[in-house]
Amino acid sequence: MKKILTSLLGLYAITAMAQTPNTYNVGGKLYPQVNPDKSVTFQFTAPSADKVVLNLGKDYEMTKDEKGVWSVTTDPQVVGFHYYAVKVGGLGVIDPAGEVFYGTSKWSSAVEVPEDAVAADYYTPKQDVPQGAVRSVRFYSDVCKEWRRMYVYTPAEYYDNPEKRYPVLYLQHGGGEDETGWIFQGRADVILDNLIAEGKAEPMIIVMNSGYAQVPGSSDSFDAFEQMITEEVIPFVDARYRTIADREHRATAGLSWGAKQAYDLALGYPQYFSAVGGFSGIIVVGEFGRSNPGIMDKTKRKAAYNGIFANPKQFNKDFSVLFIANGEAEGSHLADMSKTLKKDGIKNTFYQSPETAHEWLTWRRCLYNYAQLIFKK
Amino acid sequence: MKKILTSLLGLYAITAMAQTPNTYNVGGKLYPQVNPDKSVTFQFTAPSADKVVLNLGKDYEMTKDEKGVWSVTTDPQVVGFHYYAVKVGGLGVIDPAGEVFYGTSKWSSAVEVPEDAVAADYYTPKQDVPQGAVRSVRFYSDVCKEWRRMYVYTPAEYYDNPEKRYPVLYLQHGGGEDETGWIFQGRADVILDNLIAEGKAEPMIIVMNSGYAQVPGSSDSFDAFEQMITEEVIPFVDARYRTIADREHRATAGLSWGAKQAYDLALGYPQYFSAVGGFSGIIVVGEFGRSNPGIMDKTKRKAAYNGIFANPKQFNKDFSVLFIANGEAEGSHLADMSKTLKKDGIKNTFYQSPETAHEWLTWRRCLYNYAQLIFKK
């Protein structure tokens, strides 16, 4: 009896302490592994390498054993989605052990430090939840003179209601990412499937474009992006899908670098949009940079976007949602911006994601909250 | 005048001799480059590496300059799509310079040694050709006890004809690849868009699944795959899309390892399929292996698949298309199989892709030819 009990306890202890292979490992690969303390253990076999460095937030020098296997265990990480990179002999590479995600301006490796199942429920696919469709759509941009790709999500009910028309959310990724980000990293399709099934969000179409756009020969990207979205993408989407093609049924949102683009689209082209969400990104007034205080300067703020903030009454009438959000670990500058705008009389919703950083778990939560606010009758 | 002429000639010479960055390079990366003689030049900055090896068909040891830049130029390659790998310090990695493709059982780097524009026309997107939609569809497999993903292509006209129903092609990737292969590497969507626009192929739905399927605890993959396709995938697709749900309007095809799966599906489950294409893969009779002579043995052939080849008249009545194909560089074993079957009275179409090898250019051409044969009234 004692022996069995000991074995059972031993088993329990092993289970409780078990390392879990990263969600994104392919082909049954064991490493990277996420440990119970949320540190991550990496292992690579590189017998003839002099030096292997693992970057997950910061550099970790790996150590080699007698068999040429390099290992390192990182510091505990905050929960969520983290890009990592491996440097071997000074060359930055992608880990072949896992799925890849377009981020840091290239296809990149990533680890998901999982939340508990309850917290993760809203971005977990469920058998009893009807699925929307995500399709990759090529289109030729005359602005950029190139073939481009957008991802388009239509809700599960779209093809059951051949006459019904839908509102559209234009959703942007962050710097160094692309149109795949909100599906691959963000799981926007699963989040919306679940929200719609619960009746918490209106059925909507989501359109995801790469934010990188350039008129050949020009160095500016933001202007070309706005021109492409307003003159090409919106008409294309309105022609191809059953949209409600007016500003009341068009929203935009973006994260980080894409938050600037979302704000620029909605505030710069209010004839197209009636709702905007900025996830982990400030409203940029003046030069674009890491921290831009323009919005916090009353004179600059009132002059920005053709004076859109100068008339709060009109703004509140025109914009059904101004959603400002970030992760708790990102600091208070967006909470301050939200308060400042509220003091001006500009209605807005502020959301802060508990404990998370400048990464996709924050943005999944932002989308989850924002999607429940827009297109409400 | 002479100077201008020299300059112009010089320019021409440079253009004609110019290296071209690989089609799949991201973010304006210059290497890998494809040279006019179809060799490929690779460059990596790895100042502290002892050894960098590039594998493109075979290993090439790279050489380092004084700045720590490693380079190599490979032998001339046949045109088409080739996976490559980089080994640094003994660790096989993915090149961060480019797009990635699921192949060799992991996300992998690849170079496209381009054909001339005329030859490549059929897999090149065109502005005046309406696009079908490709969507990623999650489904839960009770056979495999896991969430899986399929890619589904619907032709451009699908949503303009809400009452029309369509035939379905079940299309399989090769060993070490997955459900993304036919879209990412194969460009099946573009090929079908172009064929349908020209009236050369019937508008059809294409369903692409990962060929790796396993009943938990079992080591066999092929049986689980067949069970999953026939008992789960086909009913799911017939319920969700406007298919013509009978064997006359269901075809399958696959490449290499997936050719075996396609043959096994069509010949093993003729109640579901009336057409089959095997690209670069033999009909496997007996043990699965690299070269399987079973099909060339008359007794074994006549006994295979419940004797389906024993009654040529019935076979020819039941199967509208048996398409056997490979690349010229792959040898004559499939031509021999085709001839042997013809001698038996089994009607089949043999296609050989000029000059190409066991790679995706062969399979793009196979699909191009096969798609024109199936579902013809």
Side-chain angles (χ1 to χ4, degrees):
Chain A
M1 180 63 202
K2 197 184 162 201
K3 201 179 164 197
I4 291 172
L5 192 65
T6 313
S7 299
L8 281 174
L9 285 173
L11 185 69
Y12 177 77
I14 288 163
T15 307
M17 295 297 292
Q19 295 185 314
T20 317
N22 179 20
T23 314
Y24 303 125
N25 289 5
V26 295
K29 299 277 192 337
L30 295 176
Y31 292 91
Q33 293 194 338
V34 180
N35 304 311
D37 69 350
K38 298 190 172 25
S39 63
V40 185
T41 301
F42 292 85
Q43 252 190 32
F44 302 102
T45 302
S48 69
D50 274 1
K51 192 177 174 178
V52 181
V53 179
L54 190 289
N55 184 290
L56 178 64
K58 68 176 197 185
D59 278 355
Y60 295 90
E61 296 225 358
M62 302 184 77
T63 52
K64 180 156 83 167
D65 72 9
E66 68 287 351
K67 287 176 182 161
V69 178
W70 296 77
S71 342
V72 77
T73 295
T74 68
D75 301 330
Q77 304 291 310
V78 294
V79 291
F81 180 99
H82 307 285
Y83 294 114
Y84 68 88
V86 195
K87 238 180 194 180
V88 197
L91 177 68
V93 296
I94 312 172
D95 184 358
E99 296 283 344
V100 290
F101 302 86
Y102 198 82
T104 66
S105 300
K106 59 181 184 57
W107 289 92
S108 297
S109 306
V111 67
E112 178 98 19
V113 178
E115 300 185 276
D116 65 72
V118 175
D121 183 70
Y122 73 94
Y123 56 85
T124 302
K126 298 180 183 75
Q127 284 192 64
D128 57 349
V129 167
Q131 291 187 336
V134 176
R135 78 285 306 275
S136 151
V137 181
R138 282 191 192 82
F139 72 104
Y140 187 83
S141 165
D142 262 329
V143 171
C144 305
K145 305 290 178 215
E146 64 182 3
W147 281 95
R148 297 176 62 95
R149 182 175 64 173
M150 62 178 97
Y151 273 42
V152 179
Y153 166 87
T154 47
E157 60 159 63
Y158 188 80
Y159 298 114
D160 300 329
N161 297 286
E163 303 299 321
K164 188 172 167 184
R165 306 189 74 88
Y166 293 86
V168 187
L169 167 61
Y170 289 82
L171 190 58
Q172 289 303 127
H173 60 82
E177 296 166 345
D178 72 5
E179 69 277 16
T180 60
W182 270 108
I183 299 301
F184 289 26
Q185 289 96 311
R187 308 186 190 180
D189 51 338
V190 186
I191 294 172
L192 265 289
D193 286 348
N194 287 339
L195 279 174
I196 293 167
E198 290 181 57
K200 288 183 177 168
E202 290 298 310
M204 66 182 81
I205 295 169
I206 306 180
V207 175
M208 294 150 277
N209 276 275
S210 167
Y212 292 93
Q214 221 146 19
V215 173
S218 155
S219 66
D220 182 87
S221 176
F222 292 123
D223 285 351
F225 173 75
E226 291 163 28
Q227 195 190 345
M228 182 189 74
I229 294 290
T230 54
E231 295 176 16
E232 297 184 328
V233 173
I234 290 176
F236 178 94
V237 169
D238 285 339
R240 180 176 287 220
Y241 301 97
R242 280 182 277 110
T243 65
I244 310 174
D246 60 30
R247 68 178 296 281
E248 279 70 34
H249 297 87
R250 218 178 273 125
T252 182
L255 72 91
S256 190
W257 185 77
K260 169 187 161 47
Q261 295 184 308
Y263 284 131
D264 286 352
L265 277 178
L267 305 174
Y269 302 81
Q271 67 272 37
Y272 288 99
F273 299 97
S274 62
V276 59
F279 310 158
S280 303
I282 206 160
I283 299 173
V284 177
V285 175
E287 201 69 14
F288 180 55
R290 276 225 156 230
S291 82
N292 179 306
I295 190 67
M296 302 305 278
D297 175 308
K298 191 161 191 170
T299 311
K300 288 183 185 168
R301 182 166 70 245
K302 301 261 168 177
Y305 300 108
N306 299 312
I308 206 163
F309 293 129
N311 186 343
K313 209 168 160 184
Q314 188 65 40
F315 182 92
N316 297 339
K317 205 180 135 202
D318 285 347
F319 283 88
S320 58
V321 183
L322 167 56
F323 180 85
I324 297 165
N326 69 356
E328 194 182 359
E330 294 187 83
S332 64
H333 62 298
L334 292 184
D336 295 343
M337 180 174 84
S338 164
K339 275 182 216 152
T340 299
L341 288 168
K342 279 180 184 161
K343 270 189 208 153
D344 279 358
I346 302 289
K347 271 193 202 156
N348 68 79
T349 303
F350 179 69
Y351 166 74
Q352 194 162 62
S353 160
E355 291 180 49
T356 60
H358 196 77
E359 53 77 33
W360 279 96
L361 190 52
T362 296
W363 305 321
R364 288 180 201 151
R365 292 177 181 174
C366 288
L367 177 62
Y368 175 78
N369 284 280
Y370 179 64
Q372 297 183 55
L373 301 177
I374 56 178
F375 310 134
K376 291 293 178 189
K377 283 135 198 170
Chain B
M1 180 63 203
K2 198 186 161 202
K3 201 178 162 197
I4 291 169
L5 192 65
T6 314
S7 300
L8 282 173
L9 285 172
L11 185 70
Y12 177 76
I14 290 163
T15 309
M17 295 296 293
Q19 295 185 312
T20 317
N22 178 20
T23 313
Y24 303 124
N25 289 5
V26 294
K29 299 279 192 336
L30 295 176
Y31 291 91
Q33 293 195 337
V34 181
N35 304 310
D37 69 351
K38 299 190 172 23
S39 64
V40 185
T41 301
F42 292 85
Q43 252 190 31
F44 301 103
T45 302
S48 69
D50 273 1
K51 192 176 174 180
V52 181
V53 179
L54 190 287
N55 184 290
L56 178 64
K58 67 176 198 186
D59 278 354
Y60 296 90
E61 296 225 357
M62 301 184 77
T63 52
K64 178 156 84 165
D65 72 9
E66 68 286 351
K67 287 177 182 159
V69 178
W70 296 77
S71 337
V72 76
T73 294
T74 68
D75 300 331
Q77 304 292 310
V78 295
V79 291
F81 180 100
H82 308 285
Y83 295 114
Y84 68 88
V86 195
K87 238 178 193 182
V88 196
L91 176 68
V93 295
I94 312 172
D95 184 358
E99 295 283 345
V100 290
F101 303 87
Y102 198 83
T104 65
S105 300
K106 59 181 184 59
W107 289 93
S108 297
S109 306
V111 66
E112 177 96 20
V113 178
E115 302 186 277
D116 65 70
V118 174
D121 184 69
Y122 73 94
Y123 56 85
T124 302
K126 298 182 183 72
Q127 285 193 61
D128 56 349
V129 167
Q131 290 186 339
V134 177
R135 80 285 306 274
S136 153
V137 180
R138 283 191 191 81
F139 71 104
Y140 187 84
S141 165
D142 263 328
V143 171
C144 306
K145 305 287 179 221
E146 64 180 2
W147 281 97
R148 297 177 60 95
R149 184 175 62 173
M150 61 178 96
Y151 272 43
V152 178
Y153 165 87
T154 47
E157 60 160 65
Y158 188 81
Y159 298 114
D160 300 329
N161 297 287
E163 302 301 320
K164 189 172 167 184
R165 305 188 74 87
Y166 293 86
V168 186
L169 168 60
Y170 289 81
L171 190 57
Q172 289 302 127
H173 59 81
E177 295 166 343
D178 72 5
E179 69 277 16
T180 60
W182 270 108
I183 299 301
F184 289 25
Q185 288 97 309
R187 307 187 191 179
D189 52 337
V190 186
I191 294 171
L192 265 289
D193 285 347
N194 287 338
L195 279 174
I196 293 166
E198 289 180 57
K200 289 182 177 169
E202 290 299 308
M204 65 182 81
I205 295 168
I206 306 179
V207 175
M208 293 149 278
N209 276 274
S210 167
Y212 292 94
Q214 222 146 17
V215 173
S218 155
S219 66
D220 182 86
S221 177
F222 293 124
D223 286 351
F225 173 75
E226 290 163 28
Q227 196 190 344
M228 181 189 74
I229 293 289
T230 55
E231 295 177 16
E232 297 183 329
V233 173
I234 289 176
F236 178 93
V237 168
D238 284 340
R240 182 176 285 220
Y241 301 97
R242 280 182 276 111
T243 65
I244 310 174
D246 62 28
R247 69 178 295 283
E248 279 70 33
H249 297 89
R250 218 180 273 124
T252 182
L255 71 92
S256 190
W257 184 78
K260 168 187 161 48
Q261 295 184 307
Y263 284 130
D264 286 352
L265 277 178
L267 305 174
Y269 303 81
Q271 67 272 37
Y272 287 99
F273 299 97
S274 62
V276 60
F279 312 158
S280 302
I282 206 160
I283 299 172
V284 177
V285 175
E287 201 70 13
F288 180 56
R290 278 228 154 227
S291 82
N292 179 307
I295 190 68
M296 302 305 278
D297 176 309
K298 192 162 188 165
T299 312
K300 288 184 185 167
R301 182 167 66 245
K302 301 262 169 176
Y305 300 107
N306 300 313
I308 206 163
F309 293 129
N311 185 345
K313 212 170 157 181
Q314 188 66 39
F315 183 92
N316 297 339
K317 205 181 134 203
D318 285 347
F319 283 88
S320 59
V321 182
L322 166 56
F323 180 84
I324 298 166
N326 69 355
E328 194 181 359
E330 295 187 84
S332 63
H333 62 298
L334 293 184
D336 295 344
M337 179 174 84
S338 163
K339 274 182 215 149
T340 299
L341 288 168
K342 277 180 186 162
K343 270 187 208 154
D344 279 357
I346 302 288
K347 270 193 204 158
N348 67 80
T349 303
F350 179 70
Y351 165 74
Q352 193 164 62
S353 160
E355 291 179 49
T356 60
H358 196 75
E359 53 78 32
W360 279 96
L361 190 52
T362 296
W363 305 321
R364 286 179 202 153
R365 291 176 182 174
C366 288
L367 177 63
Y368 175 78
N369 284 279
Y370 178 65
Q372 296 182 55
L373 301 177
I374 56 178
F375 310 133
K376 290 294 181 188
K377 284 134 199 170

